[in-house]
Amino acid sequence: MDQKIKKVNIKRANKSKTSDNSGVILEAEKPLSQSMLWKLQTDFYANQGPEAWIKGIVPQYITTNPYIANLYAKTVFGYCRDISSSMDFDKNTTIYIMELAAGVGRFTYTFLKRFLHIVENSSLKEIKFKYIITDLAERNVTYWQNHSFLKPYFESGVLDCATFDMSGDEELRLRNSGEVLSVGNLKNPLILFANYTFDSLPQDTFYVNKEELFEGLITITSKVTQIDPEDKSILAGLDYDYTDRQIQGTGYYKETNMNEILLYYKDCLEDTAFSLPIVALRCINRLKKLFNDDIILISTDKGYRNASSMYKNYHPYLSKHGSISLTVNFHAMELYFKSLGGKAIHSIYEHENVTMSLFLLSQRSHDFIETAMAYREIIESIGPDDFYIIKKAVVPQNKSLTTKELLTFLRYTVWDARTFLEFYNTLLERIAEEEDFPKDELIAVIHKVWEHYFPIGEEGDIASCFGSLLAYYGYDNDAIKLFKSSLEFYGEDAAINYEIALCYYNLQEFEKSMEYIEKSLILDPTFEESINLKSLIGEI
């Protein structure tokens, strides 16, 4: 076992209880993974469905933007190059890519955009693959099936979907094809994605002191103080604290390799708490059996990548954002994969927001050189967290950057829509002020950003913004398509219907123009611009 970690320069968080233990006890001293909190978590996602992301209740940007999707696409392509070159690869069967807890589906769409572009322009263009988007919430599955941007992928067969309960499901029933993926009928490996996923699953927490191991037990109480009306989380009105209970023997879990992980930390940590993502590990165990011990997992989350980063920790803090989340022990996941003969590659830097890790298990006699090379190139340069830090530094300075620099940075983001919206007002000012404004480059950027954007009706109607810019430059047909997308995702609006009518007017399609003028006036009979345009057409 490793020598005990002694890093005196890292201060331990205050080991005080998180509450004053006042209020009514709702649940007393339960293992964290068995707490009532997880039922509240499941109910939250089931009840909210896509609204959790549309309303911005649950964070998503850092793991769904086109920059991270591009990194995943490059890594998966490297893995496919490795797999397809192995002697036992079956070229006549499908490689499955599966996304856990996909939420609203934004990463799915953006990844497919990037990955299909890479594959279709490579020597692997004949490879057979299917992307399976999964979630526990039925409302999310229905949302994907009805989303117009995902429809072409479902129809082509490259995309399918399923409900999947990570706490117990052992097979996958695909909604689109009707196919059932079960043990014994799969030949090729599974490529698994888990972004902002494991942090929201049940974990257990433990504490090591003087070579003794304790389980952390959580107690949930209702607060006696007035509830904050702005607190919409599942913890609203609740408080929690932990107590430690010594573990006797070495058989805490039924799984031998899980107990070995506990013993590892017992031997190498001191006065430190650590968590074990028990539901995540058991889910991976079931999936590896389904895919014949042939699996690659790529995960981005807030997490610990080694034992030293956990030193002097206390039991996990429950972050609140509607649901709850905990920091993930990626190091424990590495120990798990190594116990099976697999390996892990972590980010080489300590990151501020999220860490990206790759876990690989295979029975094939292969070194996976292309996979490791692609992944290391990513994490040793600018990974997802690095990108987010750079973006946060650049965006506030956007007014001091030249227009060329703004458009260049948008290319660097791999055409990120949020960044464009943050630059939008500055670009509008430049259009009017700059004599040599790079119009053609702006138009090209608009088309690229829209190509990689997955609309969900969230705050910031980028379709309307793009439509206005394209109409201003005379691209009326393109503007009409974007204004119609605005109506699709944000609902009927008098001003947007007027904009469509104006585009048809400029195209001299007066009947179409009148159609949308009437729609505008039904919504707002006093809308002056529509009244004036109707009068103008009447004079023709």
Side-chain angles (χ1 to χ4, degrees), residues 345-349 372-383 386:
I345 311 176
H346 301 293
S347 171
I348 58 177
Y349 305 111
M373 182 175 67
Y375 189 77
R376 287 197 173 98
E377 181 181 351
I378 288 167
I379 64 173
E380 290 176 6
S381 56
I382 304 297
D386 304 306

Side-chain angles (χ1 to χ4, degrees), residues 163-299:
T163 55
F164 185 72
D165 183 353
M166 286 179 277
S167 68
D169 283 353
E170 296 183 350
E171 63 181 21
L172 285 160
R173 295 182 175 271
L174 306 187
R175 294 290 182 85
N176 199 46
S177 65
E179 185 180 4
V180 178
L181 306 185
S182 56
V183 174
N185 66 355
L186 299 169
K187 296 182 179 179
N188 278 331
L190 172 66
I191 300 166
L192 185 64
F193 298 154
N195 297 330
Y196 269 167
T197 298
F198 297 148
D199 67 337
S200 299
L201 293 181
Q203 303 182 24
D204 281 323
T205 182
F206 302 90
Y207 171 61
V208 177
N209 191 39
K210 297 179 180 178
E211 299 185 352
E212 298 291 345
L213 182 64
F214 302 81
E215 60 177 336
L217 304 176
I218 192 167
T219 293
I220 309 295
T221 57
S222 63
K223 294 180 180 178
V224 294
T225 57
Q226 185 175 358
I227 299 173
D228 180 0
E230 299 299 318
D231 188 350
K232 305 298 182 184
S233 78
I234 65 173
L235 286 179
L238 303 179
D239 213 337
Y240 65 95
D241 60 55
Y242 295 100
T243 54
D244 297 329
R245 181 168 66 194
Q246 188 171 355
I247 296 173
Q248 303 293 337
T250 58
Y252 186 83
Y253 290 117
K254 61 182 179 181
E255 300 95 340
T256 300
N257 51 2
M258 305 296 184
N259 291 322
E260 288 174 349
I261 294 173
L262 297 185
L263 292 176
Y264 174 91
Y265 287 127
K266 180 182 176 182
D267 286 344
C268 75
L269 295 177
E270 176 58 34
D271 191 21
T272 297
F274 66 92
S275 61
L276 198 66
I278 187 64
V279 170
L281 293 175
R282 286 173 175 164
C283 174
I284 294 166
N285 188 59
R286 294 192 305 276
L287 287 173
K288 81 175 184 63
K289 290 178 181 177
L290 185 61
F291 287 87
N292 304 308
D293 293 341
D294 209 351
I295 183 172
I296 177 176
L297 164 65
I298 308 175
S299 183

Side-chain angles (χ1 to χ4, degrees), residues 338-408:
K338 285 183 174 179
S339 73
L340 302 172
K343 64 180 180 180
I345 311 176
H346 301 293
S347 171
I348 58 177
Y349 305 111
E350 289 286 355
H351 286 298
E352 183 178 310
N353 304 283
V354 294
T355 189
M356 180 177 175
S357 293
L358 179 148
F359 305 90
L360 181 63
L361 177 67
S362 180
Q363 302 304 310
R364 303 169 191 265
S365 55
H366 207 293
D367 292 331
F368 294 96
I369 296 172
E370 298 278 356
T371 308
M373 182 175 67
Y375 189 77
R376 287 197 173 98
E377 181 181 351
I378 288 167
I379 64 173
E380 290 176 6
S381 56
I382 304 297
D385 196 70
D386 304 306
F387 162 75
Y388 189 59
I389 290 170
I390 291 171
K391 180 184 176 298
K392 287 195 298 181
V394 170
V395 167
Q397 308 300 321
N398 73 88
K399 289 186 178 296
S400 65
L401 300 176
T402 67
T403 302
K404 186 71 174 178
E405 289 167 341
L406 294 177
L407 297 177
T408 298

Side-chain angles (χ1 to χ4, degrees), residues 285-319:
N285 188 59
R286 294 192 305 276
L287 287 173
K288 81 175 184 63
K289 290 178 181 177
L290 185 61
F291 287 87
N292 304 308
D293 293 341
D294 209 351
I295 183 172
I296 177 176
L297 164 65
I298 308 175
S299 183
T300 301
D301 218 320
K302 51 184 184 180
Y304 301 115
R305 61 189 178 90
N306 52 43
S308 62
S309 62
M310 296 182 284
Y311 188 62
K312 293 294 184 180
N313 276 355
Y314 185 52
H315 293 302
Y317 171 75
L318 307 181
S319 299

Side-chain angles (χ1 to χ4, degrees), residues 87 95 124 149-150 183 233 250 263 281 284 306 351 365 419 434 441 447 464 486 491 496:
M87 296 295 294
I95 293 178
L124 297 183
F149 280 48
L150 293 176
V183 174
S233 78
T250 58
L263 292 176
L281 293 175
I284 294 166
N306 52 43
H351 286 298
S365 55
T419 306
E434 289 186 7
E441 188 172 350
H447 285 299
S464 172
S486 174
I496 298 298

